[in-house]
Amino acid sequence: MHYTPNEPDLNSSVMKSPILTIAKYTFFEALKNRLFAIMIISLICVFGLIEFVGELAITESGQIQAGITALVVRLFAVFITCLFVITSMVREFNDKTLDVLLSFPVSRQTYYYAKLLGFLLLAVFIVVLVSLLLLFYADPIQVMFWSLSLLCELLILISLCLLFLFTFGSITTAFTTVIAFYLLTRSMDSIRLISESPLLETTSFAQAFIDFLVDAIAFVLPGLNQFARTEWLVYETGSVSDLYPVLVQTAIYTVLVSAAALFDFYRKNF
């Protein structure tokens, strides 16, 4: 069910602080849809599964549990965040809530950044919930590093969800494109290693072109394989220096993707 605030409250709040008001109601929509209740139930199920896996492990059960938990909750956080962002925006378009908001003295740029802030607040709560589960199996400092990088990862994906939704206008297409993009960026290092394998013919023009193409794609894509790395939790190798490239990439790609999303948003006629 879509969260619709009372119109008098909406009028006065939007006039005073449009970004904070829209962000607040975006976050309240997640509460009203019982998103956090679903997450808590799901994490309890994951906890039971991980405990069962730990009982089966012969050695290094703690490290195995930390690694599997990090993988599962990261994918869970990515899927539920992207799905909620896209479905929430489509529902707002269909319910004409956007038309009502734009009838106020609120620019599309203000609306976009307000939604981005609201979804970021949602991502913060999701990361906090999954991090609480990881504290059972990993060092708290490493969990903190991992959680901050996961939040950065979700921020990039949220901005991509908005871009692809404005571009394609379809839940299925936008969600599929975001997930495909995520899987590609996560596996880019493996693709590069395969393309540079010594078993391949490296002197042919076709192989040289493939190597160039793979390197070019890897250059323009964010290195999400550096975000929320499982080895930080398993081997306790994370440090503050590992967060620097994560923060820089997050800032660059969020700005670029937001600029592209706003360009598409201003071209739309609602």
Side-chain angles (χ1 to χ4, degrees):
M1 184 180 296
H2 184 63
Y3 185 85
T4 304
N6 296 328
E7 190 165 348
D9 296 338
L10 180 63
N11 292 345
S12 58
S13 299
V14 169
M15 293 295 291
K16 292 178 181 178
S17 179
I19 290 183
L20 294 180
T21 301
I22 298 173
K24 179 180 68 174
Y25 286 121
T26 300
F27 179 71
F28 283 167
E29 181 186 358
L31 293 178
K32 192 174 182 66
N33 286 336
R34 299 180 178 87
L35 180 64
F36 294 130
I38 295 174
M39 284 203 61
I40 291 174
I41 295 173
S42 301
L43 292 176
I44 291 174
C45 295
V46 172
F47 176 73
L49 177 62
I50 297 302
E51 286 297 306
F52 176 72
V53 171
E55 293 296 327
L56 296 179
I58 299 176
T59 60
E60 299 181 341
S61 61
Q63 293 178 330
I64 293 175
Q65 288 175 308
I68 296 177
T69 304
L71 173 63
V72 173
V73 298
R74 186 183 72 238
L75 292 176
F76 180 72
V78 166
F79 274 81
I80 199 169
T81 301
C82 293
L83 189 60
F84 178 81
V85 170
I86 293 173
T87 55
S88 174
M89 290 297 297
V90 169
R91 188 162 53 245
E92 197 158 291
F93 293 160
N94 294 337
D95 292 346
K96 303 301 180 181
T97 306
L98 176 60
D99 295 341
V100 175
L101 289 172
L102 293 181
S103 66
F104 297 107
V106 176
S107 66
R108 297 196 180 196
Q109 180 178 350
T110 300
Y111 172 81
Y112 173 84
Y113 287 119
K115 299 299 289 188
L116 188 65
L117 178 60
F119 291 133
L120 177 60
L121 182 60
L122 169 66
V124 170
F125 275 81
I126 291 176
V127 170
V128 169
L129 287 177
V130 300
S131 300
L132 292 177
L133 180 59
L134 279 171
L135 288 175
F136 287 99
Y137 308 110
D139 178 73
I141 301 298
Q142 300 299 320
V143 172
M144 181 184 67
F145 293 150
W146 187 91
S147 301
L148 288 174
S149 61
L150 177 61
L151 181 61
C152 293
E153 183 174 348
L154 292 180
L155 178 57
I156 293 176
L157 293 175
I158 289 170
S159 59
L160 283 170
C161 286
L162 296 174
L163 169 62
F164 292 141
L165 182 60
F166 293 150
T167 302
F168 301 117
S170 166
I171 293 177
T172 304
T173 306
F175 183 73
T176 303
T177 307
V178 171
I179 296 303
F181 180 91
Y182 175 74
L183 295 177
L184 175 63
T185 53
R186 273 284 177 178
S187 58
M188 204 63 218
D189 274 3
S190 300
I191 295 175
R192 294 182 69 180
L193 288 175
I194 294 173
S195 68
E196 297 171 359
S197 172
L199 299 177
L200 300 176
E201 178 61 45
T202 57
T203 58
S204 65
F205 173 79
Q207 184 60 40
F209 176 76
I210 291 174
D211 290 343
F212 171 78
L213 182 62
V214 171
D215 289 339
I217 295 174
F219 178 76
V220 299
L221 292 179
L224 293 186
N225 56 301
Q226 300 178 19
F227 292 58
R229 295 166 63 178
T230 304
E231 57 263 30
W232 294 350
L233 304 174
V234 176
Y235 303 112
E236 300 184 4
T237 57
S239 63
V240 176
S241 61
D242 293 319
L243 293 179
Y244 293 151
V246 170
L247 295 174
V248 170
Q249 289 187 75
T250 301
I252 292 174
Y253 280 95
T254 301
V255 170
L256 292 177
V257 174
S258 295
L262 282 170
F263 177 79
D264 269 351
F265 191 26
Y266 272 99
R267 292 193 304 113
K268 297 289 184 182
N269 292 320
F270 296 97

